[in-house]
Amino acid sequence: MGASLSSLTENESTANGRPGLGDIPENCVACVFMYLTPPEICNLARLNHAFRGAASSDSVWDSKLPSNYHHLLDVLPQRIYEGFSKKDIFAFLSRPVPFDDGNKEVWLDRISGRICMSISTKAMLITSGEDRRHWNWFPTEESRFHVVAYCQQVWWFEVSGSVKFPFPPDIYTLTFRVRLGKFYKRLGRRVCNFEHTHGWDLGPVQYELFTSDGQHAVSEYSLDDSDQDDTSANLKRGDWIEYKVGEFIVSRSDPATEVRFSMKQIDCTHSKGGLCIDSVSITPSDLKARRSKGVSKYQ
């Protein structure tokens, strides 16, 4: 059976004169590849010369790239991608492309070729964020930006930010990635410190987003009471959790869509603290739904 399969992948016909996979014209293979995902194309490219040639065709990879992929390239010096084929461009953009002084990243999902984005807390406005009595920054390998904001103690809590980008038409979900408690390593082990964690059980935190075309979404979560939401019932203090702010729809890339977002609890009747904020993510909604539902652990 192995010999039979091997003969089918050769460029010549099989011994009995019947055509094999190697006899299929490269342009026909390329037409089929347009309906497959990038990982499937890369796997099939190993079969024979015709499949490898089709898997390198610009027409195949042009169908996998978003229509305005050049906007992702615009944030980079041209010399970096000069001479790249469409396959090279897809492979390059499937890795995070930093912009805005490295505080934001955008990339293509490797399966669907759709745009995803992450925004560091460094790119956001934090009330009293410069006062080290209230806020600190500390490095961590658990963040894609290698640094997170830590709220030690505040009365007025508000974190906000914005991004303007020519998102391709799609439905997107915006989430905040946060965690109760501060963590550090001791003798190579991850140690939890909840010394300053307080106040989050006394009232919900409000999340909000606005878009430049008038869309608005708002949600509320109690950060220190996971039993209130079935989707987070198994989560405990110390887990990174993505809280869904809401969805917005992009119907056209031009003009670019501006998204403004915030996370706040401005009830000054009690202090709160002991909270880490990592980033905001913007992801096509059905991609997000496959990985998580509502509030989830960060993967």
Side-chain angles (χ1 to χ4, degrees), residues 119 158-163 167 170-176 205-221 243-250 257-264 280-283 285:
I119 303 166
E158 185 169 10
V159 179
S160 60
S162 66
V163 63
F167 292 97
D170 212 328
I171 302 175
Y172 296 89
T173 293
L174 187 145
T175 60
F176 268 86
V205 171
Q206 185 182 80
Y207 299 85
E208 205 163 7
L209 75 80
F210 298 88
T211 66
S212 51
D213 60 356
Q215 298 178 70
H216 175 224
V218 61
S219 58
E220 289 188 345
Y221 299 98
Y243 289 97
K244 178 179 177 180
V245 180
E247 296 181 339
F248 63 94
I249 300 172
V250 176
T257 302
E258 182 179 11
V259 185
R260 291 177 287 119
F261 46 85
S262 65
M263 171 186 181
K264 59 188 175 183
V280 160
S281 70
I282 299 176
T283 308
S285 294

Side-chain angles (χ1 to χ4, degrees), residues 83-154:
F84 273 16
S85 66
K86 294 294 179 65
K87 179 182 178 181
D88 294 332
I89 290 175
F90 186 94
F92 182 77
L93 294 180
S94 65
R95 299 187 294 269
V97 177
F99 66 104
D100 192 13
D101 296 327
N103 293 322
K104 299 173 183 176
E105 292 183 346
V106 63
W107 66 93
L108 301 183
D109 176 70
R110 295 185 180 185
I111 304 296
S112 66
R114 293 151 74 190
I115 284 181
C116 305
M117 182 179 291
S118 187
I119 303 166
S120 170
T121 317
K122 279 285 189 180
M124 304 179 202
L125 178 63
I126 302 177
T127 301
S128 303
E130 302 301 320
D131 192 331
R132 294 182 62 85
R133 294 173 301 174
H134 304 305
W135 287 89
N136 288 293
W137 298 90
F138 69 90
T140 174
E141 296 176 357
E142 298 182 6
S143 168
R144 68 167 60 246
F145 297 100
H146 308 295
V147 65
V148 297
Y150 178 68
C151 174
Q152 186 157 299
Q153 178 170 313
V154 295

Side-chain angles (χ1 to χ4, degrees), residues 11-64:
N11 289 330
E12 295 83 13
S13 300
T14 58
N16 59 12
R18 294 179 180 178
L21 290 178
D23 295 306
I24 302 176
E26 188 176 303
N27 60 337
C28 292
V29 178
C31 290
V32 174
F33 280 1
M34 290 183 183
Y35 296 92
L36 303 181
T37 65
E40 290 170 338
I41 293 171
C42 292
N43 285 334
L44 289 173
R46 295 180 290 183
L47 285 176
N48 56 44
H49 180 74
F51 278 54
R52 283 193 296 275
S56 299
S57 169
D58 275 355
S59 62
V60 169
W61 292 98
D62 194 47
S63 68
K64 307 304 174 187

Side-chain angles (χ1 to χ4, degrees), residues 187-204:
L187 301 177
R189 298 183 61 185
R190 189 171 181 264
V191 180
C192 311
N193 184 340
F194 300 105
E195 178 184 358
H196 300 113
T197 303
H198 67 284
W200 304 110
D201 58 333
L202 301 179

